Amino acid sequence: MYRSLVVLATAMFAIGTDSFVIAGILPDAADSLDVPVGTAGWLLTAYALTYAVLGQVMAALTARLPRRTLFLAGFAIFTAGNLVTAFVPVFAVALASRAVAGLGGAMITPAAVAAAAALAPPERRGRAIATVMTGLSAATALGAPIGTALGSLTGDWRATMWFVSALGVSAALGIALFLPSIPTPPAVPLRTRVAPLADRRIGLVLLTTLLAYTGLYTVYSFIGESLDRATGGSGTTLAALLLVWGLAATVGTLASGTLVDRFGDRRVINTSITVAAIDFALLPWTSAHLPSAVAALLVWGVCGWGLLALQTHRLITAMPTAAPLLTGLASAAVYIGVSAAPLVGQAGMAWFGAHWLGAVGAAFIALGLVAAESAHAVIRRRGTDEASAARARPLPLPTE
């Protein structure tokens, strides 16, 4: 079983790396494709929006496919999209190819989480899913920095896309050779998958996530431009900063579960959002120097990624009987925010300049705090499904 989980974690590593690596090479991609860097940010939007919108759709449409067939088809689409991006000199085609890669990712991620659960006995199911999800944490801590460094050292951003394509091929080979037969799960109609959205408690929690991650990724989408004073324009220095961010994100994810168990979700969620908003509001000054930029990225990583676990905990606590569906909706909310962030960042750079994107992001994060308090008020007023909560088990998170 462990070998199969490692194979699935490798798949998640490939998908996660593709989600985050473009930001580190965006200025070079913009130059190569002959578009402004703000417009080049649409490459992030194309991938993230496709991933967000089609995740639940593809899970419903492919429910009856054998799992190995689904994974291999998904990686064929994912790899083809990245290879096209690596070759084409035309921005419009590159934009379409990023959407194709996002479609492949949308096919793989929900199925990988479900496969982890199916492979493990009930008493080890949580650990099995957590093992697979470490692939996403590793993507932030290692995949994105390696891809950014590769583009810098070779002087060609397309080398980064070759790297992501190679990850996709490696993951597909691992699945073909080592993944055992997995029972096809019961089909869940799309209407059932999105039904929790009709509940106001769920809607407000997801709105919190969407607003917060729009703010957090407004800076990340143009991180090379935002941190150019601290990096001196060096791609390898930027890669090192992304490594710091990724390691802090891993710490934040791991620590958030312990904190929410001890202090409750309201206190920890509000603290995380407040600290993140202050951190981003100060970025116009802290991003000017390397030591203060490192400190800002540490806070950002811990609070930003820790928030995802906290928000998912709040969702499941409010409606524990729908936990498997809620994790997918939580992931979709994150990626809708990630897809909106480059558009917000493009407007922010035009109005205020790249170094003030932190302040723009802070405004969205602060709106997330308002939504979080509204969600708490509605949940407190309407209550939770207590009978189901007594039987529920916390589920590890699906993608980023």
PDB file of all heavy atoms in Angstrom, residues 215-216 219 227 245 248 271-287 291-304 355 357-359 361-363 365:
ATOM      1  N   GLY A 215      -6.410  37.728  -2.304  1.00  0.00           N
ATOM      2  CA  GLY A 215      -5.415  38.666  -1.771  1.00  0.00           C
ATOM      3  C   GLY A 215      -4.033  38.060  -1.679  1.00  0.00           C
ATOM      4  O   GLY A 215      -3.034  38.684  -2.076  1.00  0.00           O
ATOM      5  N   LEU A 216      -3.931  36.836  -1.175  1.00  0.00           N
ATOM      6  CA  LEU A 216      -2.632  36.192  -1.008  1.00  0.00           C
ATOM      7  C   LEU A 216      -1.923  35.994  -2.343  1.00  0.00           C
ATOM      8  O   LEU A 216      -0.698  36.165  -2.450  1.00  0.00           O
ATOM      9  CB  LEU A 216      -2.810  34.841  -0.311  1.00  0.00           C
ATOM     10  CG  LEU A 216      -3.236  34.886   1.165  1.00  0.00           C
ATOM     11  CD1 LEU A 216      -3.707  33.523   1.625  1.00  0.00           C
ATOM     12  CD2 LEU A 216      -2.096  35.386   2.042  1.00  0.00           C
ATOM     13  N   VAL A 219      -0.132  39.016  -4.898  1.00  0.00           N
ATOM     14  CA  VAL A 219       1.316  39.226  -4.858  1.00  0.00           C
ATOM     15  C   VAL A 219       2.049  38.057  -5.493  1.00  0.00           C
ATOM     16  O   VAL A 219       2.963  38.241  -6.300  1.00  0.00           O
ATOM     17  CB  VAL A 219       1.800  39.437  -3.409  1.00  0.00           C
ATOM     18  CG1 VAL A 219       3.314  39.557  -3.361  1.00  0.00           C
ATOM     19  CG2 VAL A 219       1.169  40.696  -2.823  1.00  0.00           C
ATOM     20  N   LEU A 227       9.129  41.468  -5.666  1.00  0.00           N
ATOM     21  CA  LEU A 227      10.313  41.310  -4.815  1.00  0.00           C
ATOM     22  C   LEU A 227      11.612  41.652  -5.540  1.00  0.00           C
ATOM     23  O   LEU A 227      12.697  41.294  -5.068  1.00  0.00           O
ATOM     24  CB  LEU A 227      10.398  39.864  -4.299  1.00  0.00           C
ATOM     25  CG  LEU A 227       9.209  39.355  -3.476  1.00  0.00           C
ATOM     26  CD1 LEU A 227       9.486  37.930  -2.999  1.00  0.00           C
ATOM     27  CD2 LEU A 227       8.933  40.263  -2.289  1.00  0.00           C
ATOM     28  N   TRP A 245       9.304  30.297   1.484  1.00  0.00           N
ATOM     29  CA  TRP A 245       7.838  30.349   1.498  1.00  0.00           C
ATOM     30  C   TRP A 245       7.236  28.944   1.561  1.00  0.00           C
ATOM     31  O   TRP A 245       6.314  28.684   2.342  1.00  0.00           O
ATOM     32  CB  TRP A 245       7.363  31.090   0.257  1.00  0.00           C
ATOM     33  CG  TRP A 245       5.885  31.183   0.079  1.00  0.00           C
ATOM     34  CD1 TRP A 245       5.027  31.992   0.754  1.00  0.00           C
ATOM     35  CD2 TRP A 245       5.082  30.445  -0.847  1.00  0.00           C
ATOM     36  NE1 TRP A 245       3.742  31.812   0.295  1.00  0.00           N
ATOM     37  CE2 TRP A 245       3.750  30.872  -0.679  1.00  0.00           C
ATOM     38  CE3 TRP A 245       5.373  29.478  -1.817  1.00  0.00           C
ATOM     39  CZ2 TRP A 245       2.701  30.349  -1.451  1.00  0.00           C
ATOM     40  CZ3 TRP A 245       4.334  28.964  -2.569  1.00  0.00           C
ATOM     41  CH2 TRP A 245       3.015  29.402  -2.383  1.00  0.00           C
ATOM     42  N   ALA A 248       7.760  27.354   4.987  1.00  0.00           N
ATOM     43  CA  ALA A 248       6.848  27.973   5.954  1.00  0.00           C
ATOM     44  C   ALA A 248       5.418  27.492   5.732  1.00  0.00           C
ATOM     45  O   ALA A 248       4.666  27.281   6.701  1.00  0.00           O
ATOM     46  CB  ALA A 248       6.918  29.496   5.843  1.00  0.00           C
ATOM     47  N   THR A 271      -7.051  35.126  13.730  1.00  0.00           N
ATOM     48  CA  THR A 271      -5.656  35.512  13.945  1.00  0.00           C
ATOM     49  C   THR A 271      -4.846  35.354  12.678  1.00  0.00           C
ATOM     50  O   THR A 271      -4.058  36.242  12.302  1.00  0.00           O
ATOM     51  CB  THR A 271      -5.039  34.665  15.079  1.00  0.00           C
ATOM     52  OG1 THR A 271      -5.778  34.876  16.285  1.00  0.00           O
ATOM     53  CG2 THR A 271      -3.583  35.038  15.300  1.00  0.00           C
ATOM     54  N   SER A 272      -5.013  34.229  11.986  1.00  0.00           N
ATOM     55  CA  SER A 272      -4.266  33.989  10.744  1.00  0.00           C
ATOM     56  C   SER A 272      -4.564  35.057   9.702  1.00  0.00           C
ATOM     57  O   SER A 272      -3.651  35.598   9.065  1.00  0.00           O
ATOM     58  CB  SER A 272      -4.610  32.602  10.185  1.00  0.00           C
ATOM     59  OG  SER A 272      -4.194  31.587  11.049  1.00  0.00           O
ATOM     60  N   ILE A 273      -5.848  35.372   9.527  1.00  0.00           N
ATOM     61  CA  ILE A 273      -6.216  36.367   8.520  1.00  0.00           C
ATOM     62  C   ILE A 273      -5.701  37.752   8.909  1.00  0.00           C
ATOM     63  O   ILE A 273      -5.171  38.491   8.061  1.00  0.00           O
ATOM     64  CB  ILE A 273      -7.746  36.391   8.329  1.00  0.00           C
ATOM     65  CG1 ILE A 273      -8.229  35.066   7.747  1.00  0.00           C
ATOM     66  CG2 ILE A 273      -8.150  37.543   7.421  1.00  0.00           C
ATOM     67  CD1 ILE A 273      -9.738  34.972   7.600  1.00  0.00           C
ATOM     68  N   THR A 274      -5.828  38.099  10.178  1.00  0.00           N
ATOM     69  CA  THR A 274      -5.378  39.420  10.629  1.00  0.00           C
ATOM     70  C   THR A 274      -3.869  39.579  10.454  1.00  0.00           C
ATOM     71  O   THR A 274      -3.391  40.610   9.944  1.00  0.00           O
ATOM     72  CB  THR A 274      -5.764  39.640  12.097  1.00  0.00           C
ATOM     73  OG1 THR A 274      -7.180  39.544  12.235  1.00  0.00           O
ATOM     74  CG2 THR A 274      -5.297  41.007  12.585  1.00  0.00           C
ATOM     75  N   VAL A 275      -3.103  38.576  10.894  1.00  0.00           N
ATOM     76  CA  VAL A 275      -1.647  38.650  10.769  1.00  0.00           C
ATOM     77  C   VAL A 275      -1.240  38.712   9.297  1.00  0.00           C
ATOM     78  O   VAL A 275      -0.339  39.474   8.908  1.00  0.00           O
ATOM     79  CB  VAL A 275      -0.985  37.455  11.486  1.00  0.00           C
ATOM     80  CG1 VAL A 275       0.519  37.411  11.200  1.00  0.00           C
ATOM     81  CG2 VAL A 275      -1.237  37.530  12.987  1.00  0.00           C
ATOM     82  N   ALA A 276      -1.914  37.911   8.454  1.00  0.00           N
ATOM     83  CA  ALA A 276      -1.603  37.935   7.023  1.00  0.00           C
ATOM     84  C   ALA A 276      -1.909  39.296   6.417  1.00  0.00           C
ATOM     85  O   ALA A 276      -1.134  39.820   5.590  1.00  0.00           O
ATOM     86  CB  ALA A 276      -2.387  36.843   6.298  1.00  0.00           C
ATOM     87  N   ALA A 277      -3.023  39.909   6.807  1.00  0.00           N
ATOM     88  CA  ALA A 277      -3.373  41.225   6.275  1.00  0.00           C
ATOM     89  C   ALA A 277      -2.335  42.275   6.669  1.00  0.00           C
ATOM     90  O   ALA A 277      -1.925  43.109   5.838  1.00  0.00           O
ATOM     91  CB  ALA A 277      -4.762  41.635   6.771  1.00  0.00           C
ATOM     92  N   ILE A 278      -1.886  42.238   7.913  1.00  0.00           N
ATOM     93  CA  ILE A 278      -0.859  43.185   8.362  1.00  0.00           C
ATOM     94  C   ILE A 278       0.451  42.939   7.608  1.00  0.00           C
ATOM     95  O   ILE A 278       1.123  43.880   7.160  1.00  0.00           O
ATOM     96  CB  ILE A 278      -0.643  43.051   9.879  1.00  0.00           C
ATOM     97  CG1 ILE A 278      -1.902  43.507  10.624  1.00  0.00           C
ATOM     98  CG2 ILE A 278       0.564  43.867  10.332  1.00  0.00           C
ATOM     99  CD1 ILE A 278      -1.882  43.215  12.105  1.00  0.00           C
ATOM    100  N   ASP A 279       0.810  41.674   7.464  1.00  0.00           N
ATOM    101  CA  ASP A 279       2.036  41.308   6.744  1.00  0.00           C
ATOM    102  C   ASP A 279       2.012  41.853   5.321  1.00  0.00           C
ATOM    103  O   ASP A 279       2.998  42.429   4.836  1.00  0.00           O
ATOM    104  CB  ASP A 279       2.167  39.783   6.744  1.00  0.00           C
ATOM    105  CG  ASP A 279       3.461  39.298   6.122  1.00  0.00           C
ATOM    106  OD1 ASP A 279       4.525  39.864   6.428  1.00  0.00           O
ATOM    107  OD2 ASP A 279       3.414  38.344   5.316  1.00  0.00           O
ATOM    108  N   PHE A 280       0.860  41.715   4.642  1.00  0.00           N
ATOM    109  CA  PHE A 280       0.752  42.191   3.262  1.00  0.00           C
ATOM    110  C   PHE A 280       0.708  43.712   3.195  1.00  0.00           C
ATOM    111  O   PHE A 280       1.251  44.313   2.255  1.00  0.00           O
ATOM    112  CB  PHE A 280      -0.478  41.577   2.593  1.00  0.00           C
ATOM    113  CG  PHE A 280      -0.185  40.280   1.913  1.00  0.00           C
ATOM    114  CD1 PHE A 280       0.404  39.231   2.610  1.00  0.00           C
ATOM    115  CD2 PHE A 280      -0.485  40.091   0.579  1.00  0.00           C
ATOM    116  CE1 PHE A 280       0.696  38.035   1.986  1.00  0.00           C
ATOM    117  CE2 PHE A 280      -0.199  38.895  -0.060  1.00  0.00           C
ATOM    118  CZ  PHE A 280       0.392  37.868   0.639  1.00  0.00           C
ATOM    119  N   ALA A 281       0.061  44.336   4.177  1.00  0.00           N
ATOM    120  CA  ALA A 281       0.021  45.794   4.184  1.00  0.00           C
ATOM    121  C   ALA A 281       1.412  46.401   4.312  1.00  0.00           C
ATOM    122  O   ALA A 281       1.677  47.507   3.819  1.00  0.00           O
ATOM    123  CB  ALA A 281      -0.877  46.281   5.321  1.00  0.00           C
ATOM    124  N   LEU A 282       2.329  45.674   4.967  1.00  0.00           N
ATOM    125  CA  LEU A 282       3.695  46.155   5.164  1.00  0.00           C
ATOM    126  C   LEU A 282       4.641  45.778   4.017  1.00  0.00           C
ATOM    127  O   LEU A 282       5.782  46.251   3.978  1.00  0.00           O
ATOM    128  CB  LEU A 282       4.256  45.598   6.474  1.00  0.00           C
ATOM    129  CG  LEU A 282       3.566  46.085   7.758  1.00  0.00           C
ATOM    130  CD1 LEU A 282       4.140  45.342   8.967  1.00  0.00           C
ATOM    131  CD2 LEU A 282       3.723  47.592   7.930  1.00  0.00           C
ATOM    132  N   LEU A 283       4.172  44.963   3.082  1.00  0.00           N
ATOM    133  CA  LEU A 283       5.052  44.496   2.007  1.00  0.00           C
ATOM    134  C   LEU A 283       5.673  45.602   1.156  1.00  0.00           C
ATOM    135  O   LEU A 283       6.810  45.443   0.692  1.00  0.00           O
ATOM    136  CB  LEU A 283       4.300  43.513   1.095  1.00  0.00           C
ATOM    137  CG  LEU A 283       4.355  42.040   1.484  1.00  0.00           C
ATOM    138  CD1 LEU A 283       3.514  41.200   0.518  1.00  0.00           C
ATOM    139  CD2 LEU A 283       5.789  41.522   1.499  1.00  0.00           C
ATOM    140  N   PRO A 284       5.004  46.716   0.906  1.00  0.00           N
ATOM    141  CA  PRO A 284       5.680  47.766   0.137  1.00  0.00           C
ATOM    142  C   PRO A 284       7.016  48.186   0.745  1.00  0.00           C
ATOM    143  O   PRO A 284       7.905  48.648   0.019  1.00  0.00           O
ATOM    144  CB  PRO A 284       4.662  48.918   0.162  1.00  0.00           C
ATOM    145  CG  PRO A 284       3.338  48.226   0.270  1.00  0.00           C
ATOM    146  CD  PRO A 284       3.598  47.055   1.173  1.00  0.00           C
ATOM    147  N   TRP A 285       7.182  48.011   2.045  1.00  0.00           N
ATOM    148  CA  TRP A 285       8.439  48.365   2.707  1.00  0.00           C
ATOM    149  C   TRP A 285       9.298  47.133   3.000  1.00  0.00           C
ATOM    150  O   TRP A 285      10.492  47.161   2.754  1.00  0.00           O
ATOM    151  CB  TRP A 285       8.133  49.116   4.011  1.00  0.00           C
ATOM    152  CG  TRP A 285       7.399  50.393   3.752  1.00  0.00           C
ATOM    153  CD1 TRP A 285       7.934  51.603   3.420  1.00  0.00           C
ATOM    154  CD2 TRP A 285       5.978  50.570   3.748  1.00  0.00           C
ATOM    155  NE1 TRP A 285       6.943  52.535   3.224  1.00  0.00           N
ATOM    156  CE2 TRP A 285       5.726  51.936   3.424  1.00  0.00           C
ATOM    157  CE3 TRP A 285       4.889  49.730   3.999  1.00  0.00           C
ATOM    158  CZ2 TRP A 285       4.444  52.452   3.330  1.00  0.00           C
ATOM    159  CZ3 TRP A 285       3.594  50.246   3.906  1.00  0.00           C
ATOM    160  CH2 TRP A 285       3.384  51.593   3.581  1.00  0.00           C
ATOM    161  N   THR A 286       8.683  46.055   3.473  1.00  0.00           N
ATOM    162  CA  THR A 286       9.477  44.870   3.823  1.00  0.00           C
ATOM    163  C   THR A 286      10.051  44.176   2.593  1.00  0.00           C
ATOM    164  O   THR A 286      11.091  43.518   2.686  1.00  0.00           O
ATOM    165  CB  THR A 286       8.634  43.861   4.626  1.00  0.00           C
ATOM    166  OG1 THR A 286       7.474  43.504   3.868  1.00  0.00           O
ATOM    167  CG2 THR A 286       8.200  44.453   5.961  1.00  0.00           C
ATOM    168  N   SER A 287       9.402  44.328   1.440  1.00  0.00           N
ATOM    169  CA  SER A 287       9.898  43.666   0.233  1.00  0.00           C
ATOM    170  C   SER A 287      11.089  44.389  -0.388  1.00  0.00           C
ATOM    171  O   SER A 287      11.644  43.925  -1.380  1.00  0.00           O
ATOM    172  CB  SER A 287       8.777  43.556  -0.802  1.00  0.00           C
ATOM    173  OG  SER A 287       8.359  44.843  -1.232  1.00  0.00           O
ATOM    174  N   PRO A 291      16.516  40.625   4.003  1.00  0.00           N
ATOM    175  CA  PRO A 291      16.167  40.052   5.317  1.00  0.00           C
ATOM    176  C   PRO A 291      14.696  40.248   5.687  1.00  0.00           C
ATOM    177  O   PRO A 291      14.034  39.324   6.182  1.00  0.00           O
ATOM    178  CB  PRO A 291      17.093  40.787   6.288  1.00  0.00           C
ATOM    179  CG  PRO A 291      18.243  41.243   5.448  1.00  0.00           C
ATOM    180  CD  PRO A 291      17.645  41.578   4.123  1.00  0.00           C
ATOM    181  N   SER A 292      14.176  41.453   5.441  1.00  0.00           N
ATOM    182  CA  SER A 292      12.774  41.701   5.788  1.00  0.00           C
ATOM    183  C   SER A 292      11.832  40.961   4.835  1.00  0.00           C
ATOM    184  O   SER A 292      10.727  40.544   5.233  1.00  0.00           O
ATOM    185  CB  SER A 292      12.469  43.201   5.772  1.00  0.00           C
ATOM    186  OG  SER A 292      12.836  43.792   4.541  1.00  0.00           O
ATOM    187  N   ALA A 293      12.267  40.755   3.589  1.00  0.00           N
ATOM    188  CA  ALA A 293      11.452  39.972   2.655  1.00  0.00           C
ATOM    189  C   ALA A 293      11.360  38.520   3.115  1.00  0.00           C
ATOM    190  O   ALA A 293      10.298  37.891   3.015  1.00  0.00           O
ATOM    191  CB  ALA A 293      12.035  40.050   1.248  1.00  0.00           C
ATOM    192  N   VAL A 294      12.460  37.967   3.617  1.00  0.00           N
ATOM    193  CA  VAL A 294      12.447  36.607   4.154  1.00  0.00           C
ATOM    194  C   VAL A 294      11.450  36.497   5.301  1.00  0.00           C
ATOM    195  O   VAL A 294      10.636  35.567   5.370  1.00  0.00           O
ATOM    196  CB  VAL A 294      13.854  36.185   4.618  1.00  0.00           C
ATOM    197  CG1 VAL A 294      13.802  34.881   5.417  1.00  0.00           C
ATOM    198  CG2 VAL A 294      14.789  36.035   3.423  1.00  0.00           C
ATOM    199  N   ALA A 295      11.492  37.464   6.221  1.00  0.00           N
ATOM    200  CA  ALA A 295      10.557  37.460   7.351  1.00  0.00           C
ATOM    201  C   ALA A 295       9.109  37.543   6.872  1.00  0.00           C
ATOM    202  O   ALA A 295       8.231  36.838   7.384  1.00  0.00           O
ATOM    203  CB  ALA A 295      10.878  38.620   8.292  1.00  0.00           C
ATOM    204  N   ALA A 296       8.854  38.394   5.879  1.00  0.00           N
ATOM    205  CA  ALA A 296       7.488  38.541   5.361  1.00  0.00           C
ATOM    206  C   ALA A 296       6.997  37.251   4.724  1.00  0.00           C
ATOM    207  O   ALA A 296       5.830  36.857   4.897  1.00  0.00           O
ATOM    208  CB  ALA A 296       7.448  39.683   4.345  1.00  0.00           C
ATOM    209  N   LEU A 297       7.875  36.561   4.002  1.00  0.00           N
ATOM    210  CA  LEU A 297       7.489  35.310   3.356  1.00  0.00           C
ATOM    211  C   LEU A 297       7.260  34.198   4.373  1.00  0.00           C
ATOM    212  O   LEU A 297       6.405  33.325   4.171  1.00  0.00           O
ATOM    213  CB  LEU A 297       8.553  34.895   2.342  1.00  0.00           C
ATOM    214  CG  LEU A 297       8.564  35.726   1.053  1.00  0.00           C
ATOM    215  CD1 LEU A 297       9.807  35.430   0.234  1.00  0.00           C
ATOM    216  CD2 LEU A 297       7.317  35.439   0.224  1.00  0.00           C
ATOM    217  N   LEU A 298       7.999  34.207   5.450  1.00  0.00           N
ATOM    218  CA  LEU A 298       7.769  33.229   6.511  1.00  0.00           C
ATOM    219  C   LEU A 298       6.369  33.394   7.104  1.00  0.00           C
ATOM    220  O   LEU A 298       5.624  32.413   7.267  1.00  0.00           O
ATOM    221  CB  LEU A 298       8.825  33.373   7.604  1.00  0.00           C
ATOM    222  CG  LEU A 298      10.233  32.860   7.274  1.00  0.00           C
ATOM    223  CD1 LEU A 298      11.225  33.286   8.357  1.00  0.00           C
ATOM    224  CD2 LEU A 298      10.228  31.340   7.138  1.00  0.00           C
ATOM    225  N   VAL A 299       5.995  34.633   7.410  1.00  0.00           N
ATOM    226  CA  VAL A 299       4.663  34.894   7.963  1.00  0.00           C
ATOM    227  C   VAL A 299       3.587  34.529   6.938  1.00  0.00           C
ATOM    228  O   VAL A 299       2.571  33.900   7.264  1.00  0.00           O
ATOM    229  CB  VAL A 299       4.540  36.370   8.380  1.00  0.00           C
ATOM    230  CG1 VAL A 299       3.112  36.697   8.806  1.00  0.00           C
ATOM    231  CG2 VAL A 299       5.516  36.688   9.503  1.00  0.00           C
ATOM    232  N   TRP A 300       3.809  34.933   5.701  1.00  0.00           N
ATOM    233  CA  TRP A 300       2.866  34.647   4.619  1.00  0.00           C
ATOM    234  C   TRP A 300       2.653  33.140   4.471  1.00  0.00           C
ATOM    235  O   TRP A 300       1.505  32.666   4.410  1.00  0.00           O
ATOM    236  CB  TRP A 300       3.428  35.259   3.344  1.00  0.00           C
ATOM    237  CG  TRP A 300       2.699  34.981   2.070  1.00  0.00           C
ATOM    238  CD1 TRP A 300       1.534  34.276   1.901  1.00  0.00           C
ATOM    239  CD2 TRP A 300       3.100  35.412   0.771  1.00  0.00           C
ATOM    240  NE1 TRP A 300       1.189  34.245   0.572  1.00  0.00           N
ATOM    241  CE2 TRP A 300       2.121  34.926  -0.136  1.00  0.00           C
ATOM    242  CE3 TRP A 300       4.165  36.150   0.285  1.00  0.00           C
ATOM    243  CZ2 TRP A 300       2.212  35.167  -1.510  1.00  0.00           C
ATOM    244  CZ3 TRP A 300       4.259  36.391  -1.070  1.00  0.00           C
ATOM    245  CH2 TRP A 300       3.288  35.909  -1.963  1.00  0.00           C
ATOM    246  N   GLY A 301       3.727  32.373   4.428  1.00  0.00           N
ATOM    247  CA  GLY A 301       3.606  30.931   4.244  1.00  0.00           C
ATOM    248  C   GLY A 301       2.844  30.264   5.374  1.00  0.00           C
ATOM    249  O   GLY A 301       1.943  29.451   5.150  1.00  0.00           O
ATOM    250  N   VAL A 302       3.193  30.615   6.609  1.00  0.00           N
ATOM    251  CA  VAL A 302       2.544  29.995   7.769  1.00  0.00           C
ATOM    252  C   VAL A 302       1.063  30.345   7.820  1.00  0.00           C
ATOM    253  O   VAL A 302       0.196  29.471   7.971  1.00  0.00           O
ATOM    254  CB  VAL A 302       3.254  30.424   9.076  1.00  0.00           C
ATOM    255  CG1 VAL A 302       2.430  29.993  10.290  1.00  0.00           C
ATOM    256  CG2 VAL A 302       4.647  29.823   9.146  1.00  0.00           C
ATOM    257  N   CYS A 303       0.736  31.620   7.696  1.00  0.00           N
ATOM    258  CA  CYS A 303      -0.660  32.046   7.826  1.00  0.00           C
ATOM    259  C   CYS A 303      -1.494  31.670   6.604  1.00  0.00           C
ATOM    260  O   CYS A 303      -2.649  31.230   6.735  1.00  0.00           O
ATOM    261  CB  CYS A 303      -0.726  33.558   8.041  1.00  0.00           C
ATOM    262  SG  CYS A 303      -0.028  34.099   9.620  1.00  0.00           S
ATOM    263  N   GLY A 304      -0.939  31.836   5.420  1.00  0.00           N
ATOM    264  CA  GLY A 304      -1.701  31.579   4.206  1.00  0.00           C
ATOM    265  C   GLY A 304      -2.069  30.125   4.027  1.00  0.00           C
ATOM    266  O   GLY A 304      -3.235  29.773   3.814  1.00  0.00           O
ATOM    267  N   HIS A 355       5.236  47.144  -6.527  1.00  0.00           N
ATOM    268  CA  HIS A 355       5.667  47.120  -5.128  1.00  0.00           C
ATOM    269  C   HIS A 355       4.522  47.395  -4.151  1.00  0.00           C
ATOM    270  O   HIS A 355       4.679  47.176  -2.946  1.00  0.00           O
ATOM    271  CB  HIS A 355       6.790  48.132  -4.916  1.00  0.00           C
ATOM    272  CG  HIS A 355       7.995  47.846  -5.742  1.00  0.00           C
ATOM    273  ND1 HIS A 355       8.858  48.830  -6.169  1.00  0.00           N
ATOM    274  CD2 HIS A 355       8.484  46.675  -6.247  1.00  0.00           C
ATOM    275  CE1 HIS A 355       9.818  48.285  -6.895  1.00  0.00           C
ATOM    276  NE2 HIS A 355       9.609  46.992  -6.964  1.00  0.00           N
ATOM    277  N   LEU A 357       1.472  45.928  -4.567  1.00  0.00           N
ATOM    278  CA  LEU A 357       0.497  44.848  -4.661  1.00  0.00           C
ATOM    279  C   LEU A 357       0.168  44.252  -3.296  1.00  0.00           C
ATOM    280  O   LEU A 357      -0.929  43.737  -3.081  1.00  0.00           O
ATOM    281  CB  LEU A 357       1.003  43.744  -5.598  1.00  0.00           C
ATOM    282  CG  LEU A 357       1.006  44.079  -7.095  1.00  0.00           C
ATOM    283  CD1 LEU A 357       1.508  42.893  -7.896  1.00  0.00           C
ATOM    284  CD2 LEU A 357      -0.387  44.488  -7.561  1.00  0.00           C
ATOM    285  N   GLY A 358       1.125  44.306  -2.364  1.00  0.00           N
ATOM    286  CA  GLY A 358       0.853  43.808  -1.014  1.00  0.00           C
ATOM    287  C   GLY A 358      -0.316  44.540  -0.371  1.00  0.00           C
ATOM    288  O   GLY A 358      -1.173  43.926   0.278  1.00  0.00           O
ATOM    289  N   ALA A 359      -0.378  45.855  -0.554  1.00  0.00           N
ATOM    290  CA  ALA A 359      -1.474  46.633   0.012  1.00  0.00           C
ATOM    291  C   ALA A 359      -2.801  46.277  -0.651  1.00  0.00           C
ATOM    292  O   ALA A 359      -3.844  46.206   0.015  1.00  0.00           O
ATOM    293  CB  ALA A 359      -1.185  48.128  -0.152  1.00  0.00           C
ATOM    294  N   GLY A 361      -3.478  43.333  -1.982  1.00  0.00           N
ATOM    295  CA  GLY A 361      -3.816  42.026  -1.441  1.00  0.00           C
ATOM    296  C   GLY A 361      -4.357  42.112  -0.029  1.00  0.00           C
ATOM    297  O   GLY A 361      -5.287  41.389   0.349  1.00  0.00           O
ATOM    298  N   ALA A 362      -3.786  43.008   0.775  1.00  0.00           N
ATOM    299  CA  ALA A 362      -4.233  43.162   2.160  1.00  0.00           C
ATOM    300  C   ALA A 362      -5.702  43.560   2.230  1.00  0.00           C
ATOM    301  O   ALA A 362      -6.429  43.141   3.147  1.00  0.00           O
ATOM    302  CB  ALA A 362      -3.375  44.206   2.867  1.00  0.00           C
ATOM    303  N   ALA A 363      -6.171  44.361   1.268  1.00  0.00           N
ATOM    304  CA  ALA A 363      -7.571  44.773   1.263  1.00  0.00           C
ATOM    305  C   ALA A 363      -8.490  43.571   1.065  1.00  0.00           C
ATOM    306  O   ALA A 363      -9.530  43.447   1.739  1.00  0.00           O
ATOM    307  CB  ALA A 363      -7.805  45.810   0.161  1.00  0.00           C
ATOM    308  N   ILE A 365      -7.703  40.428   1.764  1.00  0.00           N
ATOM    309  CA  ILE A 365      -7.575  39.581   2.948  1.00  0.00           C
ATOM    310  C   ILE A 365      -8.440  40.129   4.084  1.00  0.00           C
ATOM    311  O   ILE A 365      -9.099  39.370   4.811  1.00  0.00           O
ATOM    312  CB  ILE A 365      -6.102  39.468   3.373  1.00  0.00           C
ATOM    313  CG1 ILE A 365      -5.283  38.802   2.264  1.00  0.00           C
ATOM    314  CG2 ILE A 365      -5.967  38.662   4.657  1.00  0.00           C
ATOM    315  CD1 ILE A 365      -3.780  38.877   2.464  1.00  0.00           C
TER     316      ILE A 365
END
